[in-house]
Amino acid sequence: MLVAVAEGESRALSPLVQRGPEGAVEAARAANARAESLVTGAAESEPPEADIACSKGCSVCCQAKVLVVAPEVLRIAAYLRETLPEEARAALLERVRAADETTRGLSRADRAEAHVPCPLLDAEGGCSVHPVRPLVCRSWTSYDAAECARYWQAPAGRLTPPQYAVGYELSQAVLAGLGKACFDAGRDGTPLELIAALRIALERPTAGERWHKRLPVFQTARDAEWLEANGVRRQGA
């Protein structure tokens, strides 16, 4: 089923990606809407084992490495340009740069141990881009907020807290479909590390156009850990 979801999403989203940066942003929006619909439907037929404990301001997991594909980061950058005044956007960019300098190149495990909060968190610990958050963030849930807090204090060697696995798998399948849609449209759908990619998208307003023209604008944000795990040779390596 999950393979079918990914394949279906790639067929539906590839024509949008081909339209240009605006189409890519629309593809990311459609993918998120599809994931929400699938997870809502699954929760009715295969309910979670317990109530989902996640709530606004519960952000202990917002220190994990997050992988995105280009349409997602372009959507986030567009949202920030539309919703934040210039001064606030400049301050956010400085937080993104600082986080990128600290976390760039870290493995998933090392990133968890570094305890660097996502620069997109607001003063109350909420997600400032929640309406356009990445599919990976959307996929993570927990049945136990206290267990999450304990886990993130010292995650090394510990199992992640129980979550709604069905929702996670469906969202990940949609993400795979969005990435494949990029490749099918002749664009790079390689997973990117969120903070590194967002820094590029905010520093370079033409990043979307350059990506659409098949230029390697997000090359330095491609996740090395993912590339190695999937046997993909890095350019210049």
Side-chain angles (χ1 to χ4, degrees):
M1 174 186 173
L2 296 176
V3 173
V5 169
E7 291 288 347
E9 292 307 303
S10 68
R11 288 193 296 271
L13 300 174
S14 181
L16 290 173
V17 174
Q18 290 177 347
R19 294 180 187 174
E22 295 80 9
V25 169
E26 174 59 22
R29 186 209 62 77
N32 270 268
R34 177 63 169 160
E36 183 172 355
S37 175
L38 287 171
V39 174
T40 299
E44 294 176 356
S45 60
E46 194 173 349
E49 298 173 6
D51 291 339
I52 302 299
C54 307
S55 62
K56 184 177 181 180
C58 176
S59 56
V60 291
C61 66
C62 301
Q63 54 187 295
K65 181 196 282 190
V66 173
L67 300 187
V68 296
V69 289
E72 293 185 284
V73 77
L74 293 175
R75 186 184 185 214
I76 294 170
Y79 177 83
L80 291 170
R81 291 190 179 100
E82 292 170 0
T83 59
L84 290 184
E86 184 175 352
E87 184 176 348
R89 214 163 53 239
L92 171 63
L93 178 54
E94 287 307 308
R95 295 197 299 274
V96 170
R97 286 171 173 157
D100 182 38
E101 293 296 330
T102 304
T103 62
R104 182 176 288 265
L106 293 183
S107 67
R108 190 179 299 275
D110 289 342
R111 177 67 173 273
E113 291 292 331
H115 301 296
V116 177
C118 176
L120 293 170
L121 291 175
D122 60 27
E124 288 74 42
C127 177
S128 64
V129 296
H130 194 267
V132 296
R133 66 196 185 280
L135 282 161
V136 165
C137 300
R138 181 181 292 276
S139 73
W140 288 345
T141 57
S142 174
Y143 295 144
D144 189 334
E147 179 58 27
C148 272
R150 288 190 292 270
Y151 170 82
W152 284 103
Q153 285 176 356
R158 300 181 64 182
L159 295 176
T160 55
Q163 64 166 309
Y164 184 42
V166 174
Y168 175 84
E169 291 169 353
L170 285 170
S171 295
Q172 292 292 318
V174 173
L175 175 59
L178 179 57
K180 187 175 185 300
C182 294
F183 285 119
D184 289 348
R187 273 72 188 181
D188 189 5
T190 303
L192 311 171
E193 195 280 317
L194 170 62
I195 295 176
L198 183 59
R199 177 177 180 175
I200 292 168
L202 292 176
E203 288 180 340
R204 306 183 71 171
T206 61
E209 287 81 0
R210 295 178 66 81
W211 175 78
H212 184 68
K213 292 177 180 177
R214 302 178 176 86
L215 296 173
V217 63
F218 290 117
Q219 181 70 28
T220 59
R222 298 173 92 200
D223 186 62
E225 188 175 29
W226 184 93
L227 293 172
E228 182 177 355
N230 288 273
V232 179
R233 183 179 175 84
R234 282 183 287 175
Q235 185 174 329

